[in-house]
Amino acid sequence: MTTYGSFPGARPRRLRTTPAMRRMVAQTRLHPADLILPAFVREGISAPVEIGAMPGVVQHTRDSLKKAAVEAMEAGVSGIMLFGVPEEEKKDAAGTVGTDPDGILQVALRDVRAEVGDGLIVMSDLCLDEFTDHGHCGVLDSEGRVDNDATLERYAEMAQVQADAGAHVVAPSGMMDGQVGVIRDALDQARHEDVSVLAYTAKYSSAFYGPFREAVGSSLKGDRKTYQQDPANTRESLRELALDLEEGADMVMVKPAGPYLDILARVADAVDVPVAAYQISGEYSMIEAAAERGWIDRDRAIMESLTGIKRAGANMILTYWATEVARQL
């Protein structure tokens, strides 16, 4: 029998031989504390409403939201991000229900905070799109364009109202220029110095938001390309990052996650603050739809997608599977 000395001398397969070996040398590990659960609460319903485009996700009642928050906390999930869905007739051009202390989002923040206290980080989406009759993330000028600076005034008010309602973290998602600085100032002036700002630093104008529009009952006509980022671009994400940090962001986010892992990695390498990534509705729905048809292994696909996001540099991952995955981990 012919021998070839030590060839091949390098045998990487030695470190893949058994499940125990692979577990021992794994570089990336998911943990329940990495996860944040996005949740929708809808006004005027008596039972949770299933979201057709997002199998397994619902628009909650106030009571079912409280239950979901407790379940997430008990599973070890770190946070819950709340989105409010008002009754259609309450929407207007300025999104005033979004700053009404008795609006659905503020009521839900008080409900959840009373239920979980400090055991779960209660986060609030800070944006107008759920509350405006035109569906844009800001107020419009006389020509129908989103007015950046007028919108900042509304965001400042929203920040104070959400903090008053009990939010530990506010998360401005509208991609208005200067939003982080204005919100930080507004919180500090209202003596909410301990409320953190999670900046949606790189939020791209994505086709993968489709199912979310159903989830929040969006009234949007047209698109958000004048304020959300162009999927073709990288440099502007890094510019947005520098501005958000200068304005006082405590944490930063990349959204969507899966199609923008390169951006996530660049952001994670560049900062010394926690980095979040949002695995959005379209990412969720694609896996659920393919699994329903038997095309992929659902559980493995979920874990692989989340591991990829963590490997790219995310400290926290917003995912609709947060509670389910936390229990498995």
Side-chain angles (χ1 to χ4, degrees):
M1 180 176 178
T2 302
T3 60
Y4 297 96
S6 61
F7 178 83
R11 293 183 182 269
R13 288 182 56 191
R14 292 182 187 127
L15 300 183
R16 306 174 198 148
T17 51
T18 68
M21 178 65 80
R22 294 190 292 273
R23 185 172 64 249
M24 182 178 74
V25 302
Q27 294 176 260
T28 303
R29 302 180 194 277
L30 286 171
H31 188 277
D34 300 332
L35 306 176
I36 297 167
L37 176 68
F40 308 100
V41 57
R42 178 175 168 183
E43 188 174 23
I45 57 174
S46 57
V49 175
E50 293 183 0
I51 300 168
M54 300 179 69
V57 180
V58 300
Q59 294 172 324
H60 284 288
T61 66
R62 290 173 60 187
D63 285 340
S64 70
L65 176 66
K66 289 188 287 186
K67 180 180 178 183
V70 170
E71 290 174 349
M73 179 177 65
E74 291 176 345
V77 170
S78 281
I80 186 168
M81 176 74 77
L82 301 186
F83 297 85
V85 184
E87 294 176 315
E88 194 67 26
E89 61 270 20
K90 292 185 178 180
K91 295 181 181 182
D92 60 23
T96 53
V97 71
T99 50
D100 181 348
D102 294 320
I104 182 58
L105 182 53
Q106 284 68 250
V107 169
L109 286 166
R110 290 195 293 271
D111 284 345
V112 173
R113 188 66 191 274
E115 196 75 14
V116 302
D118 292 331
L120 186 70
I121 300 301
V122 180
M123 303 179 168
S124 184
D125 179 62
L126 198 163
C127 197
L128 288 170
D129 59 318
E130 296 101 312
F131 309 111
T132 55
D133 54 13
H134 47 73
H136 278 288
C137 297
V139 295
L140 305 183
D141 64 17
S142 59
E143 297 182 20
R145 301 172 301 189
V146 175
D147 186 325
N148 190 94
D149 295 0
T151 298
L152 294 182
E153 296 180 17
R154 300 286 295 123
Y155 285 3
E157 186 179 354
M158 289 188 82
Q160 293 174 338
V161 171
Q162 291 177 359
D164 288 342
H168 292 103
V169 177
V170 297
S173 60
M175 294 301 291
M176 296 297 120
D177 294 339
Q179 62 184 15
V180 171
V182 166
I183 288 166
R184 182 72 269 161
D185 286 346
L187 290 171
D188 292 348
Q189 289 172 21
R191 306 199 63 160
H192 287 300
E193 298 92 346
D194 290 339
V195 173
S196 299
V197 177
L198 169 57
Y200 279 65
T201 290
K203 183 178 180 182
Y204 282 88
S205 180
S206 173
F208 294 98
Y209 295 133
F212 181 89
R213 306 262 168 88
E214 178 187 345
V216 297
S218 174
S219 303
L220 180 67
K221 297 177 178 62
D223 58 52
R224 300 186 172 116
K225 293 181 180 180
T226 65
Y227 44 102
Q228 293 178 354
Q229 290 174 232
D230 187 335
N233 292 345
T234 299
R235 283 193 296 268
E236 66 180 343
S237 291
L238 301 178
R239 186 182 185 200
E240 295 273 9
L241 174 64
L243 291 168
D244 284 350
L245 294 174
E246 182 181 341
E247 292 173 22
D250 299 289
M251 300 169 277
V252 297
M253 186 193 294
V254 175
K255 180 181 180 181
Y260 298 91
L261 294 182
D262 60 323
I263 305 299
L264 175 58
R266 293 280 295 271
V267 168
D269 286 344
V271 302
D272 56 3
V273 299
V275 177
Y278 196 148
Q279 186 182 53
I280 66 169
S281 59
E283 299 175 72
Y284 172 93
S285 296
M286 285 193 301
I287 289 176
E288 289 287 352
E292 182 183 357
R293 287 160 176 77
W295 293 343
I296 60 173
D297 181 315
R298 177 183 180 274
D299 291 348
R300 286 185 61 196
I302 290 170
M303 288 299 189
E304 185 175 339
S305 67
L306 292 171
T307 299
I309 296 167
K310 179 78 180 289
R311 189 184 63 243
N315 303 110
M316 304 99 71
I317 304 172
L318 287 84
T319 176
Y320 299 98
W321 290 302
T323 302
E324 175 186 343
V325 169
R327 287 170 175 161
Q328 294 175 11
L329 294 173

